[in-house]
Amino acid sequence: MIHLYTYTTPNGRKPAILLEELGLPYTLHEVDLGKGEQFSPEFVALNPNSKIPAIQDEETGVTVFESGAILIYLAEIAGKLLPTDVASRAQVFSWLMFQMAGVGPMFGQLGHFRRSAPEPIEYAIHRYEQETLRLVKVLDRQLEHRDFIAGDYSIADIATYPWAAAYEYVGVSLDPFPHVQAWLERVGQRPAVQTGMAILTPEFKSDLAQ
C-alpha cells in the first residue's frame, strides 16, 4: 500500500495519475495548503521542505518526496512507464527534468504573478510569459513527429501534462502550438489521467463514497 500525501496542484496530481496508470493500491491523504498543513510536524517528518506531494511505501518502508523522484520510484518498483534500456531511459529522464526545472517553475511563476500577486508587476508577468511560451514551443517541436514526449508514453508525459493542461489558468494561448494541443487531448483521454487530475475534488470524493 502506498500512502500519497498531496493536494490539487499540478505537482500534487502527478503521482495520483501514475498510481492510477500502474494500478497500485494507494491511500490518499489530503494536505490542505490553504490551511498550512504542509508545515505541520507530521508532514515535515515526511518532507523537510514542506512541499507536496510525498509518499510512504508500506511494503518497503521508503518515504519519497519531490514529485519527479516519486514518479521514478513508483515506475521502478512497478517496472512500467520507464524504459530499461539506457538510451530510452536517458530520454525520459531528460524530459522529466525539462518539466521539473523548466515547465513547472515557469508556469507556476506566471500563474502567481498573473493571478495571485497583490499588485500587477508587468515586468514579472512579461518575463515568465515569454519563458513559458518558449518552453511550450520546445515541447511543440518535440511532439511534431511523435505521439508522446519521449517516444512511448512514460512518466515524462505524466509529469508534464498537469502543468501544460493549466495553460488557460496561467493565461497563455496554445493556438500556435498544434502538436501540444493534440498531445494534451491524447493524454487527457486516458482514464487514469482523468482520475488522477480529479483527486480531492468534490466529484472525486463523491465517487469514493459510492
Side-chain angles (χ1 to χ4, degrees), residues 110-125:
L110 177 57
H112 172 80
F113 282 104
R114 180 158 274 160
R115 298 180 63 101
S116 303
E119 59 184 51
I121 303 173
E122 291 304 318
Y123 171 78
I125 293 171

Side-chain angles (χ1 to χ4, degrees), residues 37-170:
E37 292 177 355
Q38 70 273 31
F39 300 112
S40 69
E42 294 80 9
F43 188 74
V44 172
L46 300 173
N47 182 356
N49 196 33
S50 297
K51 300 286 186 181
I52 59 94
I55 64 167
Q56 284 181 310
D57 186 340
E58 277 189 4
E59 184 173 346
T60 63
V62 170
T63 298
V64 188
F65 61 91
E66 289 294 332
S67 59
I70 292 170
L71 295 187
I72 293 169
Y73 175 82
L74 292 174
E76 286 189 332
I77 64 171
K80 297 178 181 178
L81 300 178
L82 179 60
T84 55
D85 68 281
V86 173
S88 299
R89 191 178 181 88
Q91 281 296 300
V92 170
F93 283 152
S94 293
W95 287 100
L96 175 63
M97 297 307 129
F98 170 81
Q99 185 282 305
M100 297 293 296
V103 172
M106 294 303 105
F107 268 70
Q109 291 294 338
L110 177 57
H112 172 80
F113 282 104
R114 180 158 274 160
R115 298 180 63 101
S116 303
E119 59 184 51
I121 303 173
E122 291 304 318
Y123 171 78
I125 293 171
H126 178 75
R127 169 183 170 80
Y128 289 116
E129 182 177 52
Q130 292 307 301
E131 181 61 8
T132 294
L133 290 172
R134 188 191 70 80
L135 292 167
V136 176
K137 184 176 181 179
V138 172
L139 189 58
D140 198 65
R141 286 200 307 265
Q142 178 66 9
L143 288 163
E144 183 175 2
H145 300 298
R146 51 182 62 81
D147 286 342
F148 301 106
I149 295 175
D152 294 331
Y153 182 66
S154 73
I155 59 173
D157 300 282
I158 292 170
T160 309
Y161 178 85
W163 282 106
Y167 69 93
E168 290 182 327
Y169 179 86
V170 303

